[in-house]
Amino acid sequence: MLDTILSALLPMVVTFLLGFVSAWRHDFGSKDASTLNRMVLQYAVPLALFAGTVMTSRKALSQDVPLVITLCVSIIGFYCVVFLFSRLVLHMQVSSSALAALTASAPAVPFVGPAVLGDLFGGLSAIPIAIASLVINLTVVPITILLLALDSTGRDSENKSSVLQAGRDSASAPKSYVSVFTGKLVETVKEPIVWAPVLAFVIVLSGLRIPQLIVHSLALLGHASGGVALFACGIVLASGKIKVNRYVLFFVFLKNIIQPALVLGGLRWMGYGNPVVSEAVLTTAIPAMPIVLMLALQYRVAQEEAASSVFLSVMGSIVTMGVFIALTH
């Protein structure tokens, strides 16, 4: 069991440390992290998502309805709860709340799912990996990008509002907000990381099969997405500092412990057993996605907190995943 966890998570830790050392040696800096981030978000991740999604069959998606419902509720539902809690109770900004919700709800299934779940479930791992990846990439990631874009526009508008007359500003506010929302929604849909998995999902539902040669050609750069994202994480940590405050620890605690624990308790309470329980619990027990940091860098929101959260989630999952594997096997 420990060998399985280490074989999947140790490469993530090593890649983190390589990025940290490269920045410490002044081989790379924060500007290089931004360049790597742009490559990952514009090319590597969209290609990885498209290739991973388009290889899924309709039969695999419809094979296990309880697992589909469980992963939808545990990811989308948990995202909404954490976002509202961050906004209403912790009084965080919209952008920070969106990143916190993504950190706490979205496991890095596209990056480490095949390594972790593949060793545990063999060929059956394709189903939870496909379902979780689709849920994440079709819902919470686009929503987070939209919220980040809207919040950045809102902050820019506030900076310019002092030059506008109060009456004119209030009269045009509803129209302005609708136009801004529509514009940002269109921009979000145009992002490759949003439309690529949607296009692949449509292809899967239509029953079309993309030739393996094309899929493998697209996946070559996609395979680099996780490693480059983690490498950039290390650069950001070295450029700044690890922020281990109560908020970072709280959201890592939600991701690594609370989310899989709720899935385990809920499924056991409803009378489900293995393999549904083990597949759902261990899928949600996978640590936070490196894309959290990529989005933080792109929109310049809580960059050090995002890097620290991803790093601590990965490090902590060596212990927490071991616990949940023991509880479900």
Side-chain angles (χ1 to χ4, degrees), residues 54-65:
V54 82
M55 292 175 65
T56 307
S57 65
R58 285 188 299 180
K59 181 180 179 181
L61 295 177
S62 60
Q63 188 170 348
D64 204 332
V65 175

Side-chain angles (χ1 to χ4, degrees), residues 291-314:
I291 198 174
V292 172
L293 173 64
M294 298 295 97
L295 295 176
L297 289 172
Q298 181 176 356
Y299 292 94
R300 299 180 181 180
V301 176
Q303 298 175 38
E304 293 179 348
E305 289 84 354
S308 302
S309 297
V310 174
F311 179 74
L312 293 176
S313 180
V314 172

Side-chain angles (χ1 to χ4, degrees), residues 5-198:
I5 300 172
L6 289 178
S7 65
L9 299 180
L10 187 59
M12 297 180 67
V13 176
V14 171
T15 307
F16 257 121
L17 295 178
L18 286 174
F20 187 92
V21 171
S22 70
W24 179 69
R25 288 168 48 87
H26 304 291
D27 295 328
F28 295 93
S30 56
K31 292 183 179 179
D32 300 306
S34 299
T35 302
L36 293 173
N37 166 70
R38 188 165 62 253
M39 187 276 287
V40 169
L41 288 182
Q42 294 296 321
Y43 294 96
V45 170
L47 289 174
L49 297 180
F50 181 86
T53 303
V54 82
M55 292 175 65
T56 307
S57 65
R58 285 188 299 180
K59 181 180 179 181
L61 295 177
S62 60
Q63 188 170 348
D64 204 332
V65 175
L67 182 61
V68 173
I69 296 175
T70 300
L71 291 178
C72 285
V73 172
S74 62
I75 294 173
I76 302 174
F78 204 61
Y79 181 95
C80 295
V81 170
V82 175
F83 177 81
L84 292 175
F85 182 84
S86 301
R87 283 289 293 155
L88 302 178
V89 178
L90 301 181
H91 304 292
M92 297 170 62
Q93 293 182 345
V94 172
S95 55
S96 299
S97 299
L99 283 178
L102 189 64
T103 301
S105 65
V109 176
F111 299 104
V112 300
V116 177
L117 302 181
D119 286 344
L120 293 171
F121 304 117
L124 295 176
S125 64
I127 299 175
I129 291 172
I131 295 171
S133 298
L134 284 173
V135 172
I136 292 168
N137 298 323
L138 295 178
T139 57
V140 294
V141 169
I143 290 172
T144 302
I145 294 173
L146 178 60
L147 292 173
L148 288 169
L150 287 172
D151 195 44
S152 64
T153 302
R155 290 196 301 270
D156 293 339
S157 298
E158 288 179 3
N159 294 334
K160 298 177 181 178
S161 62
S162 58
V163 300
L164 298 176
Q165 293 180 355
R168 190 172 115 194
D169 191 33
S170 60
S172 61
K175 181 179 179 180
S176 176
Y177 181 80
V178 172
S179 62
V180 168
F181 178 82
T182 303
K184 288 301 176 182
L185 182 60
V186 172
E187 289 181 14
T188 301
V189 173
K190 289 181 178 179
E191 291 285 342
I193 197 174
V194 175
W195 62 257
V198 173

Side-chain angles (χ1 to χ4, degrees), residues 215-250:
V215 175
H216 289 312
S217 299
L218 296 176
L220 181 60
L221 181 59
H223 290 324
S225 58
V228 176
L230 292 168
F231 190 83
C233 237
I235 295 174
V236 173
L237 286 175
S239 302
K241 61 181 180 180
I242 298 178
K243 284 196 172 183
V244 187
N245 55 38
R246 58 179 181 174
Y247 295 109
V248 170
L249 293 176
F250 175 66

Side-chain angles (χ1 to χ4, degrees), residues 279-296:
E279 289 175 349
V281 171
L282 296 181
T283 298
T284 53
I286 291 174
M289 297 181 70
I291 198 174
V292 172
L293 173 64
M294 298 295 97
L295 295 176

